[in-house]
Amino acid sequence: MPHPCLRLLLALGIVAAPGAASALVTTYEDEAAFLSAAGSVKTETFDGFVTDTSFHSSPLDVGDFVIVASAPSVPTNFNKIDATPNDAYNLGSAHAKLGIQDGETVTLTFDAPITAFGADFYAVNDGELRSQIVAAGESVALPVVADEVYRFYGLVSDTPFSVLTFVAIADVSEGMAFDNVTYSSASAAVPLPAAAPLLAGALAGLGLLARRRARG
């Protein structure tokens, strides 16, 4: 059984209990609901790119995040910022065009931790589950739809994260596009817990107990 002081720390949430729950990630298909939950956000439209720019094998800095693919089996006409759309992935403006298969990945690494991520997607998980998104240690996936469609999808995490990864399902290929990446930064300041005085008392108690045992 934990020492009384340790039980106090656990109760205050200052020390994580063994097997503590992982991050809570809530997903959204309604953009208004996502924005309400995400709070203050920024958006990357990719419209600053005037020529097609690859992230097929080399990291590409697009501002607040870096994007790179690990997909050697996919043709180079995928995994790029498509600045002059001229095919089925035409979202009407510059967008990120992805291709991954059989466990390959495309990763977005943010300069600072975020708690929310959303985007407009096209042709993702059409016909079957083709890919998942991994963020804050959790895997989520856009629902499967019967055809290639344009739709919003977002997630909000109670735990800040800096890396978001698209992962292809094993033995399946995914070709998709996304645009209007919307994200909210985690607060840089970590507030002092309201229970800080109790924490100080508990630590003092542990120190006193240690001294008594040393005397004994």
Side-chain angles (χ1 to χ4, degrees):
M1 177 178 293
H3 186 275
C5 289
L6 178 57
R7 290 203 301 272
L8 173 59
L9 297 181
L10 290 170
L12 295 174
I14 298 168
V15 175
S22 57
L24 173 63
V25 174
T26 305
T27 59
Y28 298 84
E29 295 177 67
D30 180 86
E31 186 172 8
F34 165 79
L35 292 173
S36 177
S40 178
V41 298
K42 298 177 67 176
T43 300
E44 172 58 59
T45 65
F46 304 118
D47 289 345
F49 290 86
V50 296
T51 59
D52 293 355
T53 308
S54 175
F55 51 83
H56 192 276
S57 58
S58 299
L60 176 63
D61 191 338
V62 300
D64 284 347
F65 59 91
V66 173
I67 182 170
V68 65
S70 178
S73 67
V74 175
T76 55
N77 62 315
F78 284 92
N79 297 324
K80 66 178 182 178
I81 303 300
D82 193 350
T84 55
N86 57 6
D87 59 17
Y89 293 89
N90 185 357
L91 294 179
S93 63
H95 59 261
K97 180 181 177 182
L98 275 64
I100 47 178
Q101 62 183 25
D102 195 20
E104 294 174 337
T105 62
V106 169
T107 300
L108 279 62
T109 302
F110 288 81
D111 296 343
I114 62 173
T115 54
F117 170 89
D120 295 322
F121 289 88
Y122 181 78
V124 58
N125 287 341
D126 54 308
E128 64 179 313
L129 182 63
R130 299 174 179 273
S131 63
Q132 293 182 311
I133 298 173
V134 179
E138 299 295 316
S139 297
V140 297
L142 280 75
V144 174
V145 291
D147 201 357
E148 295 181 349
V149 296
Y150 180 83
R151 52 185 168 147
F152 174 84
Y153 189 77
L155 60 88
V156 175
S157 171
D158 67 348
T159 301
F161 60 94
S162 298
V163 178
L164 181 139
T165 304
F166 297 93
V167 184
I169 303 299
D171 301 320
V172 177
S173 62
E174 172 75 285
M176 65 169 176
F178 66 84
D179 197 2
N180 303 318
V181 175
T182 303
Y183 50 96
S184 63
S185 298
S187 175
V190 178
L192 185 67
L198 292 178
L199 170 61
L203 293 176
L206 288 173
L208 178 60
L209 178 62
R211 288 195 296 274
R212 285 179 177 172
R213 287 180 175 173
R215 295 194 194 101

